[in-house]
Amino acid sequence: MARSAMAQETICALRREISRIEGSLPERLASPQAGDSVVLRRGISAVREGCSAFLGTGVPKLDCALAGGVPRAALTEIHSLQTRDAGAATGFTLGLLALLRRADGRSRKQFLICWIGLADVFREAGFPYAPGLEKLFGFAAGGLLFVSTAHIADALWVAEEAARQKDFGAVVLEVRGNPARLDLTATRRLHRRAQELGRPVFLIREAAVAEPTAAPLRFTVSAEPAAPRRSLAGLLQDSIGHPAFTVVIGKSRAARPGRFILEWNPHEQSFREIRPAHSGALVPASGNRPHPPAAMGTVVALRPAGKAPAPGGQPPGKERPAHRRPRRAG
């Protein structure tokens, strides 16, 4: 009986540990122990100190589809299907970080971000532009720490170590494609680090294909044409408005799939849902050109001049087929 009880207790402990790593509820809810730093709620670990488990995006429909928002103590994937959409994925991530900083009540200098990326990623997509970070998202250049590595193993090690530090408000890991080292085990380690400290870890994957990971939430982000700017007189034609993104929920344990077109307002530091900017013809009508020809009228058949039709509508004798002529006798 003693061995059976010990084995059952060991199995229950393993189940609780696996549930904490994967971010799902165990089979039986037990009161948290005194040494635990997180508790499970709705399948996502939440920080105890009266902090919400989810980060609201400010878009009611998106928050409803996410069952509350983006998990704050978890690994979140942000994909871009093509390299040209890397800027859109980065901009959407920066928008979430700006919302997180405001929710935490930290100033620009107090909210620190560790941004890790491979050298080929920064060489292909470039580094985030410091003046743009401050103007569009309100981040001071001194509040971001960029780390460039040559190998994915080094980037994963830096991301895990940074996720353990309490000074960072969030950790961002940017990779390209589907590296073999970034497997299910590696993402579980990152997800566990985020749960232990109660800080989000964002994994940006450029030109990547969806594969099994431990992240409970995955977005697929692409660029959307910006709407024209508005003034007191109306829309300013041929102007470029706020950044816009197409956001697709590709994976979520507590949400439904959905597709949203969002616009980031740098003045209000918030997202809002918009309609597609181009719902009609993509190419405008040409200017300074002659009018198109008029529509064609009734089509009639014309016969050559000077020839009368044969009786009964038959062709003349010399135009009849040769095989219909009478054969010669003899």
Side-chain angles (χ1 to χ4, degrees):
M1 294 294 293
R3 291 185 178 180
S4 177
M6 292 178 60
Q8 185 176 3
E9 182 65 24
T10 303
I11 293 175
C12 292
L14 290 175
R15 287 178 177 175
R16 288 194 297 268
E17 189 69 16
I18 293 174
S19 299
R20 292 183 60 180
I21 294 175
E22 296 182 348
S24 59
L25 287 172
E27 294 183 1
R28 293 185 179 182
L29 295 177
S31 58
Q33 301 178 3
D36 292 343
S37 59
V38 295
V39 294
L40 292 174
R41 184 173 63 185
R42 294 185 184 179
I44 303 295
S45 60
V47 182
R48 268 190 173 184
E49 291 80 4
C51 188
S52 175
F54 300 96
L55 173 66
T57 62
V59 181
K61 292 183 180 179
L62 179 57
D63 290 338
C64 181
L66 296 175
V70 179
R72 302 183 60 167
L75 174 67
T76 299
E77 285 189 77
I78 300 177
H79 280 218
S80 63
L81 299 180
Q82 300 180 5
T83 304
R84 63 183 180 183
D85 292 324
T90 302
F92 179 71
T93 306
L94 288 170
L96 294 179
L97 292 173
L99 296 178
L100 179 64
R101 184 200 62 200
R102 186 175 61 180
D104 289 348
R106 300 188 185 185
S107 62
R108 298 183 179 183
K109 296 182 179 180
Q110 293 177 347
F111 191 80
L112 304 179
I113 301 173
C114 184
W115 197 297
I116 307 106
L118 296 177
D120 60 342
V121 173
F122 291 139
R123 184 168 52 250
E124 181 71 22
F127 282 91
Y129 187 53
L133 295 178
E134 185 173 1
K135 182 178 180 180
L136 295 179
F137 303 99
F139 289 113
L144 283 86
L145 174 63
F146 290 98
V147 181
S148 177
T149 63
H151 305 285
I152 183 63
D154 299 333
L156 291 173
W157 180 84
V158 175
E160 288 189 32
E161 293 299 321
R164 293 179 177 179
Q165 306 300 321
K166 297 182 179 180
D167 295 333
F168 292 117
V171 177
V172 179
L173 175 60
E174 189 174 3
V175 299
R176 177 178 173 83
N178 297 78
R181 294 293 297 270
L182 190 59
D183 54 3
L184 184 60
T185 302
T187 55
R188 279 179 177 175
R189 294 173 65 91
L190 292 175
H191 184 53
R192 177 62 186 275
R193 297 293 180 267
Q195 288 182 316
E196 288 177 347
L197 201 59
R199 296 288 186 271
V201 176
F202 294 98
L203 176 59
I204 302 178
R205 308 187 68 166
E206 301 175 3
V209 180
E211 59 184 4
T213 62
L217 179 61
R218 179 192 299 130
F219 291 113
T220 301
V221 183
S222 59
E224 181 70 20
R229 293 185 178 182
R230 293 181 176 272
S231 64
L232 297 178
L235 295 177
L236 298 178
Q237 298 298 330
D238 300 330
S239 63
I240 300 177
H242 300 318
F245 316 94
T246 298
V247 180
V248 179
I249 303 176
K251 172 188 175 184
S252 181
R253 296 188 177 184
R256 303 182 302 271
R259 182 178 182 272
F260 304 87
I261 299 179
L262 307 181
E263 182 184 68
W264 173 255
N265 190 327
H267 305 291
E268 300 178 359
Q269 296 286 295
S270 62
F271 286 109
R272 75 180 185 95
E273 187 177 7
I274 61 174
R275 294 182 178 180
H278 299 286
S279 57
L282 296 179
V283 181
S286 302
N288 300 326
R289 296 289 183 89
H291 293 287
M296 297 181 62
T298 305
V299 180
V300 296
L302 301 177
R303 60 178 180 271
K307 292 185 178 181
Q314 298 295 329
K318 59 181 180 180
E319 295 183 5
R320 294 177 182 175
H323 68 276
R324 293 187 179 181
R325 294 180 181 178
R327 297 182 179 180
R328 293 184 299 174

